[in-house]
mmCIF file of all heavy atoms in Angstrom:
data_model
loop_
_atom_site.group_PDB
_atom_site.id
_atom_site.type_symbol
_atom_site.label_atom_id
_atom_site.label_comp_id
_atom_site.label_asym_id
_atom_site.label_seq_id
_atom_site.Cartn_x
_atom_site.Cartn_y
_atom_site.Cartn_z
ATOM 1 N N PRO A 1 46.113 -8.234 1.266
ATOM 2 C CA PRO A 1 47.506 -8.034 1.689
ATOM 3 C C PRO A 1 47.911 -6.562 1.702
ATOM 4 O O PRO A 1 48.494 -6.079 2.677
ATOM 5 C CB PRO A 1 48.309 -8.827 0.649
ATOM 6 C CG PRO A 1 47.350 -9.855 0.149
ATOM 7 C CD PRO A 1 46.025 -9.157 0.104
ATOM 8 N N PHE A 2 47.567 -5.857 0.625
ATOM 9 C CA PHE A 2 47.956 -4.449 0.530
ATOM 10 C C PHE A 2 47.243 -3.601 1.579
ATOM 11 O O PHE A 2 47.852 -2.781 2.264
ATOM 12 C CB PHE A 2 47.650 -3.912 -0.865
ATOM 13 C CG PHE A 2 47.898 -2.435 -1.017
ATOM 14 C CD1 PHE A 2 49.191 -1.942 -1.088
ATOM 15 C CD2 PHE A 2 46.840 -1.540 -1.080
ATOM 16 C CE1 PHE A 2 49.430 -0.581 -1.214
ATOM 17 C CE2 PHE A 2 47.063 -0.176 -1.202
ATOM 18 C CZ PHE A 2 48.361 0.301 -1.268
ATOM 19 N N ALA A 3 45.917 -3.782 1.695
ATOM 20 C CA ALA A 3 45.136 -2.961 2.617
ATOM 21 C C ALA A 3 45.588 -3.137 4.059
ATOM 22 O O ALA A 3 45.682 -2.168 4.820
ATOM 23 C CB ALA A 3 43.652 -3.290 2.486
ATOM 24 N N SER A 4 45.882 -4.358 4.458
ATOM 25 C CA SER A 4 46.309 -4.584 5.837
ATOM 26 C C SER A 4 47.634 -3.883 6.116
ATOM 27 O O SER A 4 47.843 -3.323 7.200
ATOM 28 C CB SER A 4 46.448 -6.086 6.104
ATOM 29 O OG SER A 4 47.497 -6.658 5.339
ATOM 30 N N ALA A 5 48.538 -3.896 5.145
ATOM 31 C CA ALA A 5 49.852 -3.283 5.326
ATOM 32 C C ALA A 5 49.771 -1.759 5.296
ATOM 33 O O ALA A 5 50.450 -1.071 6.061
ATOM 34 C CB ALA A 5 50.816 -3.782 4.254
ATOM 35 N N ILE A 6 48.937 -1.204 4.398
ATOM 36 C CA ILE A 6 48.860 0.253 4.284
ATOM 37 C C ILE A 6 48.138 0.849 5.482
ATOM 38 O O ILE A 6 48.417 1.967 5.905
ATOM 39 C CB ILE A 6 48.184 0.664 2.946
ATOM 40 C CG1 ILE A 6 48.651 2.071 2.517
ATOM 41 C CG2 ILE A 6 46.685 0.606 3.027
ATOM 42 C CD1 ILE A 6 50.043 2.120 1.979
ATOM 43 N N ARG A 7 47.198 0.087 6.061
ATOM 44 C CA ARG A 7 46.565 0.554 7.300
ATOM 45 C C ARG A 7 47.582 0.592 8.432
ATOM 46 O O ARG A 7 47.612 1.536 9.231
ATOM 47 C CB ARG A 7 45.415 -0.374 7.677
ATOM 48 C CG ARG A 7 44.168 -0.206 6.836
ATOM 49 C CD ARG A 7 43.075 -1.124 7.347
ATOM 50 N NE ARG A 7 41.915 -1.127 6.465
ATOM 51 C CZ ARG A 7 40.818 -1.831 6.685
ATOM 52 N NH1 ARG A 7 40.744 -2.600 7.763
ATOM 53 N NH2 ARG A 7 39.801 -1.776 5.856
ATOM 54 N N ALA A 8 48.404 -0.439 8.512
ATOM 55 C CA ALA A 8 49.448 -0.473 9.531
ATOM 56 C C ALA A 8 50.438 0.663 9.313
ATOM 57 O O ALA A 8 50.945 1.260 10.266
ATOM 58 C CB ALA A 8 50.166 -1.818 9.515
ATOM 59 N N ARG A 9 50.713 0.970 8.059
ATOM 60 C CA ARG A 9 51.621 2.071 7.731
ATOM 61 C C ARG A 9 51.074 3.400 8.260
ATOM 62 O O ARG A 9 51.825 4.233 8.773
ATOM 63 C CB ARG A 9 51.812 2.130 6.217
ATOM 64 C CG ARG A 9 52.614 3.314 5.711
ATOM 65 C CD ARG A 9 53.294 2.913 4.440
ATOM 66 N NE ARG A 9 53.182 3.853 3.362
ATOM 67 C CZ ARG A 9 53.701 3.648 2.165
ATOM 68 N NH1 ARG A 9 54.310 2.502 1.899
ATOM 69 N NH2 ARG A 9 53.595 4.535 1.201
ATOM 70 N N MET A 10 49.765 3.591 8.129
ATOM 71 C CA MET A 10 49.162 4.810 8.654
ATOM 72 C C MET A 10 49.304 4.860 10.177
ATOM 73 O O MET A 10 49.584 5.917 10.743
ATOM 74 C CB MET A 10 47.687 4.887 8.257
ATOM 75 C CG MET A 10 47.002 6.169 8.719
ATOM 76 S SD MET A 10 45.357 6.402 8.026
ATOM 77 C CE MET A 10 44.481 5.047 8.827
ATOM 78 N N SER A 11 49.134 3.717 10.816
ATOM 79 C CA SER A 11 49.276 3.662 12.265
ATOM 80 C C SER A 11 50.709 3.971 12.687
ATOM 81 O O SER A 11 50.939 4.723 13.647
ATOM 82 C CB SER A 11 48.864 2.281 12.777
ATOM 83 O OG SER A 11 49.028 2.189 14.169
ATOM 84 N N VAL A 12 51.685 3.407 11.961
ATOM 85 C CA VAL A 12 53.090 3.674 12.261
ATOM 86 C C VAL A 12 53.384 5.163 12.096
ATOM 87 O O VAL A 12 54.066 5.778 12.922
ATOM 88 C CB VAL A 12 54.011 2.833 11.358
ATOM 89 C CG1 VAL A 12 55.459 3.304 11.470
ATOM 90 C CG2 VAL A 12 53.921 1.360 11.731
ATOM 91 N N THR A 13 52.842 5.752 11.030
ATOM 92 C CA THR A 13 53.048 7.179 10.791
ATOM 93 C C THR A 13 52.499 8.008 11.944
ATOM 94 O O THR A 13 53.150 8.941 12.426
ATOM 95 C CB THR A 13 52.362 7.610 9.482
ATOM 96 O OG1 THR A 13 52.874 6.833 8.393
ATOM 97 C CG2 THR A 13 52.616 9.087 9.200
ATOM 98 N N SER A 14 51.306 7.660 12.400
ATOM 99 C CA SER A 14 50.693 8.383 13.504
ATOM 100 C C SER A 14 51.546 8.293 14.767
ATOM 101 O O SER A 14 51.738 9.280 15.483
ATOM 102 C CB SER A 14 49.292 7.826 13.773
ATOM 103 O OG SER A 14 48.674 8.493 14.849
ATOM 104 N N ASP A 15 52.079 7.112 15.037
ATOM 105 C CA ASP A 15 52.924 6.929 16.224
ATOM 106 C C ASP A 15 54.241 7.690 16.089
ATOM 107 O O ASP A 15 54.740 8.266 17.059
ATOM 108 C CB ASP A 15 53.209 5.449 16.449
ATOM 109 C CG ASP A 15 51.968 4.689 16.904
ATOM 110 O OD1 ASP A 15 50.982 5.351 17.280
ATOM 111 O OD2 ASP A 15 51.980 3.448 16.865
ATOM 112 N N ILE A 16 54.791 7.712 14.879
ATOM 113 C CA ILE A 16 56.025 8.466 14.638
ATOM 114 C C ILE A 16 55.780 9.949 14.880
ATOM 115 O O ILE A 16 56.618 10.657 15.448
ATOM 116 C CB ILE A 16 56.533 8.235 13.201
ATOM 117 C CG1 ILE A 16 57.063 6.808 13.049
ATOM 118 C CG2 ILE A 16 57.642 9.238 12.851
ATOM 119 C CD1 ILE A 16 57.402 6.424 11.619
ATOM 120 N N VAL A 17 54.604 10.424 14.458
ATOM 121 C CA VAL A 17 54.245 11.821 14.640
ATOM 122 C C VAL A 17 54.382 12.213 16.104
ATOM 123 O O VAL A 17 54.965 13.238 16.446
ATOM 124 C CB VAL A 17 52.793 12.072 14.166
ATOM 125 C CG1 VAL A 17 52.307 13.431 14.634
ATOM 126 C CG2 VAL A 17 52.707 11.993 12.657
ATOM 127 N N CYS A 18 53.846 11.398 16.987
ATOM 128 C CA CYS A 18 53.892 11.707 18.419
ATOM 129 C C CYS A 18 55.305 11.589 18.973
ATOM 130 O O CYS A 18 55.760 12.437 19.740
ATOM 131 C CB CYS A 18 52.962 10.773 19.169
ATOM 132 S SG CYS A 18 51.229 10.925 18.703
ATOM 133 N N ALA A 19 56.014 10.548 18.583
ATOM 134 C CA ALA A 19 57.350 10.302 19.133
ATOM 135 C C ALA A 19 58.385 11.281 18.616
ATOM 136 O O ALA A 19 59.356 11.597 19.302
ATOM 137 C CB ALA A 19 57.786 8.869 18.818
ATOM 138 N N ALA A 20 58.193 11.755 17.375
ATOM 139 C CA ALA A 20 59.205 12.611 16.736
ATOM 140 C C ALA A 20 58.863 14.083 16.839
ATOM 141 O O ALA A 20 59.292 14.882 16.034
ATOM 142 C CB ALA A 20 59.360 12.205 15.265
ATOM 143 N N SER A 21 58.094 14.453 17.858
ATOM 144 C CA SER A 21 57.549 15.805 17.922
ATOM 145 C C SER A 21 58.592 16.903 18.085
ATOM 146 O O SER A 21 58.280 18.071 17.902
ATOM 147 C CB SER A 21 56.537 15.898 19.074
ATOM 148 O OG SER A 21 57.153 15.575 20.297
ATOM 149 N N ARG A 22 59.810 16.536 18.418
ATOM 150 C CA ARG A 22 60.835 17.564 18.618
ATOM 151 C C ARG A 22 61.303 18.151 17.295
ATOM 152 O O ARG A 22 62.326 17.783 16.740
ATOM 153 C CB ARG A 22 62.015 16.975 19.386
ATOM 154 C CG ARG A 22 61.737 16.762 20.866
ATOM 155 C CD ARG A 22 62.880 16.044 21.546
ATOM 156 N NE ARG A 22 62.923 14.632 21.200
ATOM 157 C CZ ARG A 22 63.905 13.803 21.540
ATOM 158 N NH1 ARG A 22 64.941 14.254 22.200
ATOM 159 N NH2 ARG A 22 63.860 12.539 21.216
ATOM 160 N N GLY A 23 60.519 19.071 16.747
ATOM 161 C CA GLY A 23 60.923 19.796 15.555
ATOM 162 C C GLY A 23 60.658 19.102 14.244
ATOM 163 O O GLY A 23 61.070 19.581 13.193
ATOM 164 N N VAL A 24 59.983 17.968 14.246
ATOM 165 C CA VAL A 24 59.711 17.246 13.001
ATOM 166 C C VAL A 24 58.209 17.227 12.742
ATOM 167 O O VAL A 24 57.443 16.756 13.574
ATOM 168 C CB VAL A 24 60.234 15.793 13.056
ATOM 169 C CG1 VAL A 24 59.986 15.088 11.723
ATOM 170 C CG2 VAL A 24 61.714 15.780 13.393
ATOM 171 N N ALA A 25 57.798 17.746 11.599
ATOM 172 C CA ALA A 25 56.396 17.701 11.213
ATOM 173 C C ALA A 25 56.161 16.478 10.347
ATOM 174 O O ALA A 25 57.086 15.965 9.711
ATOM 175 C CB ALA A 25 56.008 18.968 10.461
ATOM 176 N N SER A 26 54.941 15.987 10.315
ATOM 177 C CA SER A 26 54.643 14.790 9.536
ATOM 178 C C SER A 26 53.299 14.922 8.857
ATOM 179 O O SER A 26 52.364 15.500 9.399
ATOM 180 C CB SER A 26 54.649 13.558 10.445
ATOM 181 O OG SER A 26 54.390 12.387 9.698
ATOM 182 N N THR A 27 53.208 14.390 7.644
ATOM 183 C CA THR A 27 51.979 14.447 6.863
ATOM 184 C C THR A 27 51.683 13.082 6.262
ATOM 185 O O THR A 27 52.565 12.434 5.707
ATOM 186 C CB THR A 27 52.100 15.469 5.705
ATOM 187 O OG1 THR A 27 52.392 16.750 6.242
ATOM 188 C CG2 THR A 27 50.806 15.563 4.925
ATOM 189 N N TRP A 28 50.433 12.659 6.376
ATOM 190 C CA TRP A 28 49.966 11.439 5.722
ATOM 191 C C TRP A 28 49.175 11.866 4.497
ATOM 192 O O TRP A 28 48.193 12.599 4.606
ATOM 193 C CB TRP A 28 49.088 10.621 6.672
ATOM 194 C CG TRP A 28 48.423 9.443 6.030
ATOM 195 C CD1 TRP A 28 47.168 9.405 5.488
ATOM 196 C CD2 TRP A 28 48.967 8.133 5.858
ATOM 197 N NE1 TRP A 28 46.899 8.155 4.992
ATOM 198 C CE2 TRP A 28 47.984 7.351 5.202
ATOM 199 C CE3 TRP A 28 50.191 7.546 6.180
ATOM 200 C CZ2 TRP A 28 48.188 6.016 4.882
ATOM 201 C CZ3 TRP A 28 50.383 6.220 5.851
ATOM 202 C CH2 TRP A 28 49.404 5.461 5.214
ATOM 203 N N VAL A 29 49.607 11.442 3.315
ATOM 204 C CA VAL A 29 48.953 11.834 2.073
ATOM 205 C C VAL A 29 48.233 10.635 1.495
ATOM 206 O O VAL A 29 48.859 9.638 1.136
ATOM 207 C CB VAL A 29 49.971 12.377 1.041
ATOM 208 C CG1 VAL A 29 49.252 12.794 -0.232
ATOM 209 C CG2 VAL A 29 50.739 13.546 1.623
ATOM 210 N N ARG A 30 46.917 10.719 1.445
ATOM 211 C CA ARG A 30 46.142 9.624 0.872
ATOM 212 C C ARG A 30 45.884 9.917 -0.598
ATOM 213 O O ARG A 30 45.332 10.946 -0.954
ATOM 214 C CB ARG A 30 44.805 9.449 1.595
ATOM 215 C CG ARG A 30 44.044 8.218 1.107
ATOM 216 C CD ARG A 30 42.734 8.047 1.838
ATOM 217 N NE ARG A 30 41.777 9.080 1.485
ATOM 218 C CZ ARG A 30 40.491 9.033 1.842
ATOM 219 N NH1 ARG A 30 40.047 8.039 2.578
ATOM 220 N NH2 ARG A 30 39.666 9.995 1.495
ATOM 221 N N THR A 31 46.272 8.993 -1.459
ATOM 222 C CA THR A 31 46.046 9.153 -2.895
ATOM 223 C C THR A 31 45.054 8.111 -3.365
ATOM 224 O O THR A 31 45.030 6.987 -2.888
ATOM 225 C CB THR A 31 47.355 8.995 -3.691
ATOM 226 O OG1 THR A 31 47.916 7.712 -3.414
ATOM 227 C CG2 THR A 31 48.350 10.070 -3.317
ATOM 228 N N ALA A 32 44.239 8.487 -4.332
ATOM 229 C CA ALA A 32 43.272 7.544 -4.891
ATOM 230 C C ALA A 32 43.983 6.488 -5.710
ATOM 231 O O ALA A 32 43.533 5.360 -5.849
ATOM 232 C CB ALA A 32 42.247 8.271 -5.747
ATOM 233 N N SER A 33 45.117 6.866 -6.276
ATOM 234 C CA SER A 33 45.912 5.928 -7.060
ATOM 235 C C SER A 33 47.366 6.316 -6.910
ATOM 236 O O SER A 33 47.726 7.469 -7.097
ATOM 237 C CB SER A 33 45.526 5.969 -8.545
ATOM 238 O OG SER A 33 46.453 5.224 -9.310
ATOM 239 N N THR A 34 48.229 5.360 -6.595
ATOM 240 C CA THR A 34 49.634 5.681 -6.378
ATOM 241 C C THR A 34 50.342 6.041 -7.670
ATOM 242 O O THR A 34 51.483 6.452 -7.658
ATOM 243 C CB THR A 34 50.364 4.487 -5.731
ATOM 244 O OG1 THR A 34 50.164 3.314 -6.517
ATOM 245 C CG2 THR A 34 49.869 4.254 -4.327
ATOM 246 N N SER A 35 49.682 5.887 -8.802
ATOM 247 C CA SER A 35 50.307 6.280 -10.066
ATOM 248 C C SER A 35 49.824 7.645 -10.530
ATOM 249 O O SER A 35 50.221 8.122 -11.577
ATOM 250 C CB SER A 35 49.993 5.244 -11.160
ATOM 251 O OG SER A 35 48.604 5.182 -11.390
ATOM 252 N N ALA A 36 48.941 8.294 -9.765
ATOM 253 C CA ALA A 36 48.407 9.593 -10.162
ATOM 254 C C ALA A 36 49.354 10.697 -9.730
ATOM 255 O O ALA A 36 49.751 10.756 -8.569
ATOM 256 C CB ALA A 36 47.035 9.806 -9.531
ATOM 257 N N PRO A 37 49.737 11.612 -10.641
ATOM 258 C CA PRO A 37 50.629 12.712 -10.265
ATOM 259 C C PRO A 37 49.982 13.612 -9.219
ATOM 260 O O PRO A 37 48.774 13.810 -9.203
ATOM 261 C CB PRO A 37 50.826 13.468 -11.588
ATOM 262 C CG PRO A 37 50.515 12.467 -12.644
ATOM 263 C CD PRO A 37 49.429 11.610 -12.067
ATOM 264 N N ILE A 38 50.788 14.169 -8.336
ATOM 265 C CA ILE A 38 50.321 15.123 -7.345
ATOM 266 C C ILE A 38 50.917 16.470 -7.725
ATOM 267 O O ILE A 38 52.088 16.728 -7.478
ATOM 268 C CB ILE A 38 50.751 14.716 -5.932
ATOM 269 C CG1 ILE A 38 50.156 13.349 -5.605
ATOM 270 C CG2 ILE A 38 50.320 15.733 -4.904
ATOM 271 C CD1 ILE A 38 50.619 12.812 -4.286
#
């Protein structure tokens, strides 16, 4: 369940990147664990 949704989230982010190109930058941050401090 989680993997299917997070993969889709990456796809949505990529599409937003292209659509929101007017002055908006976007970054996808992959973490090994969502509880690990960055």
Side-chain angles (χ1 to χ4, degrees):
F2 175 74
S4 66
I6 206 74
R7 285 183 187 181
R9 174 151 133 181
M10 183 170 67
S11 178
V12 169
T13 302
S14 179
D15 290 347
I16 290 172
V17 167
C18 298
S21 59
R22 285 174 286 172
V24 182
S26 181
T27 301
W28 173 266
V29 181
R30 186 179 69 170
T31 58
S33 170
T34 54
S35 62
I38 300 175

